[in-house]
Amino acid sequence: MNIQYQQLRDELVGFTSQDIIQYVLKLFRDRIVIASSLSLEDQVITHMALEYTQKVSQSCRIFVLETGRLHQETLALISQTQEKYKFIYEVLYPDQAQVESLVAKKGNFSFYDSIENRKECCHIRKVLPLQKVLATADAWITGQRQDQSITRNMLDIIEWDDANQKIKINPLANWSNQDVLAYIKKYNIPYNVLHDRGYPSIGCEPCTRAVKSGEDARAGRWWWESADQKECGLHSSE
């Protein structure tokens, strides 16, 4: 395990989310990337990060995995956010030959047939592009929170990403959904209009639905699978 990771855990004890983001951006500079799915949490982190880096004239690397199956509302938010904050996302696409091969062999909706098929699609469209961008970094920042699902309830603010051999920072790990919504409102941060239509967690269009009353935030993601299976490989050691 990385020695710098252990030191960072000790140094960031008691820091606020904003302080954590500023500290790691200053420390790693262009060797840290921010993962954004354009979720509410990621919009909060984007706001915090750009507020700092633009003030100190430092570059800020924020990437989006454009799987080819995102909602139009998500794509519109990319443009809206870039316009508001005057920056450009690093937009990553899957290898087209791999996508075409998968579709030719199993069709456009093979992910509905089994967990294995769904993870294969996620691997091609999300995990492999993630691995490419992480090869250019020593650490990455995510918008994961503990109360998003049962697969994340043990989430730490600073983690060692063993699968990618990187330091992983989750500045909002301890935030509640109410904390996130209040911050979005306070700073007038642009967000995906699908959230107003019952979509608390938004991924690819065929794999996301609105949630029902009483369901958890990620119930609308891969809703045909059991709750303890709902990760795509980006945030696991699969």
Side-chain angles (χ1 to χ4, degrees):
M1 190 173 291
N2 188 283
I3 295 176
Q4 191 176 26
Y5 154 76
Q6 300 283 10
Q7 294 173 336
L8 199 58
R9 282 181 64 91
D10 295 337
E11 291 168 357
L12 296 180
V13 171
F15 278 37
T16 67
S17 300
Q18 180 77 71
D19 289 341
I20 289 170
I21 290 172
Q22 292 183 10
Y23 188 94
V24 297
L25 288 175
K26 182 178 180 180
L27 177 66
F28 292 103
R29 302 190 71 82
D30 65 347
R31 295 292 299 178
I32 188 168
V33 291
I34 299 172
S36 177
S37 65
L38 288 301
S39 68
L40 293 170
E41 294 82 4
D42 295 336
Q43 291 297 90
V44 168
I45 289 174
T46 293
H47 176 89
M48 289 180 173
L50 291 173
E51 184 179 53
Y52 167 70
T53 55
Q54 292 177 349
K55 180 172 64 177
V56 299
S57 299
Q58 179 183 325
S59 62
C60 185
R61 300 181 61 195
I62 308 175
F63 71 87
V64 173
L65 300 175
E66 215 296 51
T67 64
R69 309 201 81 158
L70 299 181
H71 296 78
Q72 287 301 312
E73 291 86 349
T74 303
L75 297 176
L77 184 58
I78 292 176
S79 299
Q80 185 182 359
T81 306
Q82 289 183 147
E83 176 61 27
K84 178 178 176 64
Y85 293 104
K86 308 304 179 187
F87 83 109
I88 300 295
Y89 285 109
E90 295 182 26
V91 181
L92 310 177
Y93 299 89
D95 182 274
Q96 190 59 33
Q98 291 179 317
V99 172
E100 291 175 358
S101 176
L102 174 63
V103 172
K105 291 177 182 177
K106 298 186 176 182
N108 278 305
F109 303 101
S110 61
F111 42 83
Y112 290 132
D113 296 333
S114 69
I115 292 175
E116 291 73 24
N117 279 357
R118 195 268 292 168
K119 290 185 176 180
E120 180 182 22
C121 184
C122 288
H123 187 77
I124 290 171
R125 294 181 184 272
K126 300 170 76 173
V127 177
L128 292 179
L130 172 72
Q131 290 175 348
K132 288 183 179 180
V133 72
L134 289 186
T136 70
D138 298 319
W140 60 308
I141 299 174
T142 88
Q144 293 186 104
R145 294 187 296 106
Q146 292 172 351
D147 69 358
Q148 286 173 325
S149 70
I150 63 173
T151 61
R152 298 180 179 181
N153 58 11
M154 299 299 291
L155 187 72
D156 286 331
I157 291 174
I158 308 295
E159 298 183 317
W160 176 249
D161 178 0
D162 195 54
N164 295 296
Q165 295 291 293
K166 308 292 178 185
I167 295 171
K168 187 175 182 181
I169 301 104
N170 310 300
L172 308 185
N174 298 326
W175 282 39
S176 68
N177 188 57
Q178 289 71 28
D179 293 332
V180 174
L181 292 173
Y183 195 95
I184 290 282
K185 182 178 181 180
K186 180 178 180 179
Y187 292 100
N188 193 29
I189 298 172
Y191 65 90
N192 197 320
V193 296
L194 290 175
H195 290 304
D196 295 331
R197 303 174 192 167
Y199 290 75
S201 180
I202 302 168
C204 291
E205 186 171 16
C207 300
T208 307
R209 66 160 172 78
V211 302
K212 300 173 184 177
S213 177
E215 290 183 315
D216 69 58
R218 286 175 66 81
R221 300 289 296 278
W222 311 297
W223 65 91
W224 60 93
E225 297 179 4
S226 61
D228 60 354
Q229 297 287 339
K230 294 189 176 185
E231 293 291 354
C232 60
L234 297 181
H235 301 299
S236 72
S237 57
E238 301 165 16

